[in-house]
Amino acid sequence: MRSSGRLVSWALACRNLILSNETGARPDATAFSSDEHFVITYCDDNPRYLPKELSWLLFNQRVLQEASDPSVPLIERIRFLGIYSSNLDEFFRVRVATLRRLCQLGDRARSYIGHDPHRVLEAVTRTVAQLHADYNSTYDDVIQELHRNRIHLLNETQLSPEQEAWVRSFFRANVQTELSPVLFKPGEPLPSLQERSIYLAVRMSDSRKKRKQRYAMIELPPDLQRFVVIPGQDDEDTLIFVDDIVRLMLPEIFALFKQDVYEAWTVKLTRDAELDLEDDISLSYSAKMAEGLKRRKEGLPVRFVYDGSLPRDFLKQLMRKMGVTQEDTLLPGGRYHNRSDLIRFPQVGSRSLRYPAEAPVTHSGLPLDGSLLSAIRKRDRLLHFPYNPFQQFVMLLREAALDPKVQRIRITLYRLAQNSDVIRALITARRNGKRVLVVVELQARFDENANLNWAQQLQDEDIDVVFGVAGLKVHSKLVHIEREERGKTAGYVCIATGNFNEDTAGAFEDMMLLSARPELVHEVSQLFEFFTKPYLQLKFHHLLASPWNTREALGLLIAKEISEARAGRRAEIHLKLNNLGDYALIDQLYEAAEAGVRVRLNVRGMFCARAGKDTVGRQIQAMAVVDRYLEHSRIYSFHNGGSPRYYIGSGDFLPRNFERRVETAVPIMDPGIQAYLQELLEIYWKDSRKARLLDTEQPNSYRDGDHQSGLRAQEEIRNLVMRTHPA
């Protein structure tokens, strides 16, 4: 196995770079190249594919670009900073943790991921350091912009006497009872630090040297209000971090010890969050998940972020107590961590500092005062969120819950809203005598606890709950409704690209097909039968359903385009995805492009293909759109010899989605919806303001240099929806 010394040197170099950025010193010129294409060129041990981890960091860089863009409203820029931080937290908890485990496998690891994990981890460390410097610079710019807009973010030393009095009163009424300070001695272990929380590492001393130093940790729980608005002048807004309120109140919190010097530094520990569910047949699936969640709290450290001014002796003491070593990613930062909380920055300042409110456009084919099931029976309908209201789907469930002729409702649930209308509709259906089956996926990462709670609530209502399928994560978003019509059982299905979650439907771009086509109803019904009887053998002639036929079906569709191109006929493949990371499919796309197929890829997140001149994918055109709404729908389009095939689906092109998950992509058969999807794909491709080129020569460069004029896809899509569904 390769020595870990090289990783240590990279970690130390990253720390030096970040510290130099914060202090204004010049970084060591030997530590990093000034080459702006470092992400692509450094880990080049496989010229056919970019490592998933580096590709993902490029995606997060696109998020950071939105935070840096002065044309984005100021408060929205702050929220993009929060999204970037939240993304990076999950990246370390999952992807970096996985890389570290792979490094322990030696030469076998390369065969698993196609790259040397040591080299990928080195490149990740380097990339994160440079992005961290960009992030800090953007954050400072945004804080200055806030000040120019009469929004002031103060710390505890900048308060006026009146403001300080108000803050002290606020602390006693709202914060004090939420804190649980824990004292510790240099020779004693620390209590386990919680994920998603930040801590103040406190040192108390006596300037007169009469009392010994004391140490404490104070957790700032994740549900604690992070930003506090201080009442003040009508034309100004003043805010303070709750961290600084706690700093101000340290003498009161620890008044028992009568010290006169109180110092506090923020620290944050990120742990390996991967669940390791052992194959223990003596435990039920839900019990395994609960046990796995308990173990997650004790996962190995993968990142330790701390205030760069933390004294060296105190830092070493904390690292020793938390089991953090030099081989872990050590990131000295500024005074504040958990900047993912910026997503919930208060609604302060003028409306011009936020995106204008955009009311969803009611789908004209789904009446507000009539039967939605009847409308779906006449023809397929496509809901496109957030441009259409998610509540129209909830209305469909409510109708099914009340309709005396509806006999059964079956649904898969992956992530739900905190106060879910979907759950309420299902409970209403059961109370009205319907048979209700809910497939709850307990492995929805970081939503496992919530899903366990939802499952219990559903079971309490005598609803049948199935906890997924052993060995497969159920990621499909499916609804099956059975209704008695003319003495027979008729079916209706909803097949979506995103979660049945009204909280995220306003921020995620997604689609849902509503259909009563018997061929689709039959195949969706098969899937629900499989969830309760996983020994069933299934065949699909219409749906692309993983792990059964998706890879093979996509291969045949690509092969058809290659055949058409080689015969001199028009051949096109247009894919809109979140992630493209399956090397076998990438190879097929390389072959198609070389054969003359027009391959256009719109990939918002991970893009592991090599595109652009002097690469194996030089004929492939690739771009990504990052804008106000998170692009989340998956659309597959094939010219198919003049009879185009369109699909929308729940899965990206990743190995797990073909082999270890239940995913579905549904064919779009309605000519009107086909035309809508084609126009939609063209709109994305014409974007000149938010589209970035996925080109290895110019990573994340905008398609249009100034990207300040021309077509903006999400604006034009709203216009398309309004034309499609006139009031």
Side-chain angles (χ1 to χ4, degrees):
M1 186 179 297
R2 180 177 299 190
S3 169
S4 62
R6 195 174 180 192
L7 295 179
V8 174
S9 66
W10 274 104
L12 292 173
C14 288
R15 289 196 296 162
N16 291 338
L17 176 70
I18 298 167
L19 283 172
S20 67
N21 177 70
E22 293 180 346
T23 60
R26 182 185 179 88
D28 180 0
T30 63
F32 297 97
S33 165
S34 62
D35 180 5
E36 65 178 345
H37 308 312
F38 67 93
V39 174
I40 301 298
T41 59
Y42 179 68
C43 186
D44 204 17
D45 58 339
N46 190 330
R48 295 185 68 82
Y49 321 109
L50 185 66
K52 291 182 175 68
E53 292 76 15
L54 296 184
S55 180
W56 186 94
L57 287 173
L58 278 174
F59 154 65
N60 215 27
Q61 185 187 37
R62 295 191 279 278
V63 174
L64 187 55
Q65 285 177 328
E66 289 299 293
S68 305
D69 187 348
S71 70
V72 174
L74 180 58
I75 301 299
E76 308 299 342
R77 292 175 63 189
I78 293 173
R79 295 197 174 122
F80 275 115
L81 286 171
I83 293 168
Y84 172 92
S85 292
S86 178
N87 289 347
L88 198 62
D89 284 346
E90 182 170 346
F91 177 76
F92 272 90
R93 297 171 75 191
V94 178
R95 298 196 178 280
V96 171
T98 300
L99 277 176
R100 289 189 56 180
R101 289 198 297 272
L102 285 168
C103 285
Q104 307 304 314
L105 294 179
D107 294 338
R108 287 180 296 162
R110 185 182 178 94
S111 65
Y112 293 149
I113 65 172
H115 301 273
D116 180 345
H118 293 86
R119 295 195 65 184
V120 176
L121 193 54
E122 290 170 357
V124 163
T125 305
R126 173 181 179 174
T127 305
V128 168
Q130 292 205 8
L131 290 177
H132 191 72
D134 292 342
Y135 182 96
N136 285 340
S137 176
T138 301
Y139 178 84
D140 291 342
D141 290 344
V142 165
I143 295 301
Q144 292 176 21
E145 279 295 312
L146 284 174
H147 185 72
R148 283 192 281 270
N149 282 274
R150 305 179 72 81
I151 301 170
H152 310 293
L153 189 55
L154 305 182
N155 65 39
E156 76 279 9
T157 68
Q158 299 169 321
L159 300 172
S160 68
E162 295 78 14
Q163 290 171 331
E164 182 175 324
W166 186 91
V167 164
R168 289 180 179 276
S169 177
F170 178 88
F171 171 83
R172 293 165 187 144
N174 300 281
V175 179
Q176 189 169 25
T177 57
E178 301 295 322
L179 303 180
S180 300
V182 177
L183 297 170
F184 65 91
K185 296 179 181 179
E188 295 178 350
L190 280 172
S192 178
L193 270 60
Q194 301 297 312
E195 276 283 10
R196 305 192 181 216
S197 291
I198 53 174
Y199 291 79
L200 289 179
V202 180
R203 184 170 67 184
M204 297 167 271
S205 55
D206 191 327
S207 61
R208 296 159 295 180
K209 309 291 185 184
K210 291 184 177 181
R211 296 175 177 86
K212 65 180 181 180
Q213 288 188 335
R214 295 183 182 273
Y215 300 90
M217 295 290 282
I218 302 178
E219 178 188 3
L220 302 181
D223 56 351
L224 194 63
Q225 180 183 352
R226 189 74 189 282
F227 298 96
V228 177
V229 179
I230 302 174
Q233 299 175 342
D234 293 339
D235 61 342
E236 292 190 353
D237 292 287
T238 303
L239 296 84
I240 186 170
F241 275 96
V242 73
D243 320 24
D244 291 331
I245 294 179
V246 175
R247 285 185 171 98
L248 175 69
M249 302 302 292
L250 287 175
E252 185 170 312
I253 294 171
F254 297 106
L256 174 67
F257 303 112
K258 304 185 184 306
Q259 310 276 30
D260 65 351
V261 178
Y262 296 88
E263 302 168 283
W265 300 270
T266 308
V267 298
K268 173 183 174 181
L269 187 65
T270 305
R271 298 184 185 277
D272 183 338
E274 283 297 274
L275 291 170
D276 184 14
L277 297 178
E278 296 182 5
D279 187 17
D280 184 348
I281 60 174
S282 66
L283 291 174
S284 71
Y285 193 32
S286 58
K288 289 181 187 180
M289 180 59 63
E291 181 63 24
L293 291 171
K294 182 179 178 181
R295 289 199 302 272
R296 176 182 287 176
K297 296 178 181 179
E298 301 170 357
L300 293 174
V302 291
R303 180 180 60 162
F304 181 50
V305 186
Y306 58 93
D307 187 329
S309 65
L310 183 67
R312 184 65 53 184
D313 60 333
F314 200 1
L315 171 62
K316 289 181 178 179
Q317 182 184 152
L318 292 174
M319 289 175 60
R320 185 170 58 252
K321 288 178 176 294
M322 292 184 290
V324 177
T325 70
Q326 291 286 359
E327 292 191 33
D328 299 306
T329 302
L330 306 176
L331 291 177
R335 203 172 199 232
Y336 308 104
H337 306 319
N338 255 30
R339 291 183 181 175
S340 58
D341 291 335
L342 292 168
I343 296 173
R344 292 172 290 281
F345 196 80
Q347 296 276 52
V348 293
S350 70
R351 292 184 179 180
S352 65
L353 301 182
R354 294 178 287 278
Y355 286 128
E358 294 182 338
V361 178
T362 301
H363 192 296
S364 58
L366 296 171
L368 298 176
D369 56 354
S371 170
L372 301 182
L373 290 172
S374 177
I376 297 166
R377 187 163 57 247
K378 294 175 182 177
R379 62 176 292 185
D380 292 351
R381 312 290 177 175
L382 183 76
L383 286 170
H384 191 183
F385 312 122
Y387 308 103
N388 295 133
F390 185 82
Q391 281 303 312
Q392 289 195 275
F393 166 66
V394 175
M395 289 169 60
L396 174 64
L397 290 180
R398 288 175 177 164
E399 177 183 332
L402 294 174
D403 186 341
K405 293 186 177 181
V406 169
Q407 301 167 329
R408 181 162 67 164
I409 302 172
R410 296 187 285 185
I411 187 171
T412 62
L413 297 180
Y414 194 76
R415 299 188 200 278
L416 288 164
Q418 187 171 4
N419 188 19
S420 175
D421 291 336
V422 172
I423 291 290
R424 274 192 288 272
L426 296 173
I427 291 174
T428 300
R430 183 69 193 103
R431 291 176 179 177
N432 280 285
K434 320 298 182 189
R435 288 181 292 156
V436 180
L437 172 73
V438 181
V439 181
V440 178
E441 179 48 68
L442 291 182
Q443 295 184 76
R445 184 180 290 137
F446 306 132
D447 278 80
E448 301 94 345
N449 265 326
N451 286 359
L452 281 168
N453 293 333
W454 286 123
Q456 185 61 58
Q457 184 174 337
L458 293 167
Q459 289 174 326
D460 290 345
E461 294 286 342
D462 196 29
I463 290 173
D464 293 330
V465 176
V466 176
F467 294 119
V469 179
L472 295 173
K473 181 182 286 191
V474 180
H475 193 249
S476 292
K477 281 63 178 191
L478 305 171
V479 178
H480 178 226
I481 299 170
E482 289 183 351
R483 187 175 187 270
E484 184 182 354
E485 296 177 3
R486 299 178 182 178
K488 297 181 179 180
T489 299
Y492 301 82
V493 295
C494 308
I495 305 172
T497 66
N499 295 306
F500 300 132
N501 184 330
E502 56 269 35
D503 286 352
T504 58
F508 283 40
E509 179 273 336
D510 266 309
M511 295 180 175
M512 180 188 297
L513 181 72
L514 313 177
S515 178
R517 291 180 184 270
E519 59 268 41
L520 298 182
V521 171
H522 170 69
E523 295 193 353
V524 170
S525 179
Q526 277 194 98
L527 282 167
F528 279 104
E529 292 299 319
F530 171 79
F531 296 142
T532 57
K533 303 171 185 176
Y535 52 82
L536 293 177
Q537 298 297 313
L538 305 184
K539 289 187 178 180
F540 298 93
H541 302 287
H542 302 282
L543 293 180
L544 306 186
S546 298
W548 294 276
N549 71 335
T550 306
R551 185 184 291 281
E552 179 184 6
L554 287 171
L556 291 173
L557 289 165
I558 295 172
K560 168 70 172 176
E561 299 304 317
I562 292 173
S563 176
E564 291 291 305
R566 287 174 175 164
R569 294 187 288 269
R570 180 179 173 183
E572 294 183 1
I573 299 170
H574 195 156
L575 304 175
K576 178 179 182 291
L577 303 167
N578 294 337
N579 301 292
L580 175 60
D582 185 90
Y583 295 166
L585 263 294
I586 290 173
D587 284 342
Q588 290 177 286
L589 294 173
Y590 287 155
E591 181 183 357
E594 283 295 313
V597 179
R598 188 186 190 194
V599 178
R600 298 199 300 185
L601 308 176
N602 176 2
V603 183
R604 184 256 299 167
M606 289 190 299
F607 180 74
C608 297
R610 302 280 191 173
K613 64 180 182 178
D614 300 326
T615 71
V616 65
R618 56 189 172 276
Q619 303 296 332
I620 289 176
Q621 298 173 282
M623 50 83 82
V625 171
V626 175
D627 200 351
R628 173 178 183 172
Y629 304 124
L630 181 77
E631 294 292 335
H632 194 252
S633 68
R634 292 86 166 181
I635 306 172
Y636 320 150
S637 169
F638 302 89
H639 186 258
N640 193 43
S643 300
R645 303 280 294 275
Y646 297 89
Y647 296 83
I648 63 170
S650 62
D652 294 307
F653 287 9
L654 297 170
R656 69 186 187 198
N657 294 340
F658 298 131
E659 300 154 9
R660 301 188 300 279
R661 288 190 175 195
V662 177
E663 303 276 12
T664 51
V666 59
I668 302 300
M669 304 175 188
D670 182 274
I673 300 177
Q674 287 183 342
Y676 178 87
L677 292 181
Q678 184 57 45
E679 187 168 357
L680 192 72
L681 291 171
E682 293 300 326
I683 288 173
Y684 280 117
W685 205 256
K686 293 175 182 176
D687 190 305
S688 58
R689 292 169 63 185
K690 295 296 184 179
R692 281 77 158 178
L693 296 173
L694 299 180
D695 182 336
T696 51
E697 291 298 310
Q698 296 178 315
N700 284 339
S701 60
Y702 287 88
R703 168 179 286 170
D704 187 327
D706 65 8
H707 68 93
Q708 300 300 316
S709 59
L711 186 144
R712 181 178 174 185
Q714 292 188 356
E715 287 181 352
E716 187 56 35
I717 291 169
R718 174 165 291 279
N719 295 333
L720 170 64
V721 173
M722 294 176 70
R723 293 195 303 271
T724 305
H725 305 290

